[in-house]
Amino acid sequence: MNTSGKTDLEKLILLVNLGILHSLKNDYIDINEAEHFLYTPSMLRLLKENNCSIGLINIIQRGTELEDLEGFNIDFKDEVEKMFKECEHMIKNLPETSFEFEKWYDQNLFEKYG
């Protein structure tokens, strides 16, 4: 994947992350659902293998640790808010989308689950 395509993919992951963080903050989903959608060791592995930005890797890593905060009876929503603001900052600093990577919905998901 070229640099522009990778940047576009990182932007998509950050946008998904914003939605997940917003949903956690407002109790639309719980941590288990967030982990299922994005905060997984396999996602971290993919990001590292594809040389994604350290900022993206770090924010997804922090997402995998949210359950630990909740387990210690620490209000994880403060961390969610910090992550949200960092994610917004990261997206704002990315270049305009190049449209060089395949769209996620072209990956036969609708045929697989439709």
Side-chain angles (χ1 to χ4, degrees):
M1 180 182 321
N2 65 35
T3 304
S4 295
K6 184 166 60 170
T7 300
D8 291 353
L9 182 58
E10 287 187 18
K11 187 181 276 189
L12 174 63
I13 294 167
L14 288 167
L15 289 167
V16 169
N17 192 46
L18 278 178
I20 288 172
L21 293 169
H22 176 79
S23 297
L24 281 169
K25 185 172 83 170
N26 291 290
D27 297 318
Y28 303 148
I29 65 172
D30 62 20
I31 291 174
N32 288 329
E33 289 173 291
E35 287 176 338
H36 176 78
F37 288 121
L38 190 61
Y39 303 140
T40 66
S42 58
M43 175 56 77
L44 283 171
R45 181 183 44 77
L46 284 170
L47 295 173
K48 290 174 184 176
E49 286 174 359
N50 289 283
N51 299 313
C52 289
S53 72
I54 192 69
L56 176 59
I57 292 169
N58 287 342
I59 206 155
I60 300 303
Q61 173 72 43
R62 287 168 56 200
T64 67
E65 297 166 353
L66 289 173
E67 187 174 41
D68 295 338
L69 295 177
E70 187 181 53
F72 291 121
N73 291 323
I74 298 171
D75 184 11
F76 71 93
K77 290 192 179 183
D78 287 338
E79 180 66 11
V80 167
E81 186 61 35
K82 288 177 195 172
M83 290 170 63
F84 191 90
K85 290 189 183 309
E86 288 175 36
C87 196
E88 283 182 316
H89 179 74
M90 290 168 60
I91 289 173
K92 289 176 185 176
N93 288 312
L94 287 173
E96 186 173 324
T97 302
S98 70
F99 305 104
E100 291 186 30
F101 77 105
E102 286 188 57
K103 294 174 180 64
W104 64 269
Y105 52 81
D106 286 340
Q107 305 303 311
N108 300 320
L109 292 175
F110 291 99
E111 291 156 9
K112 185 174 180 179
Y113 299 110

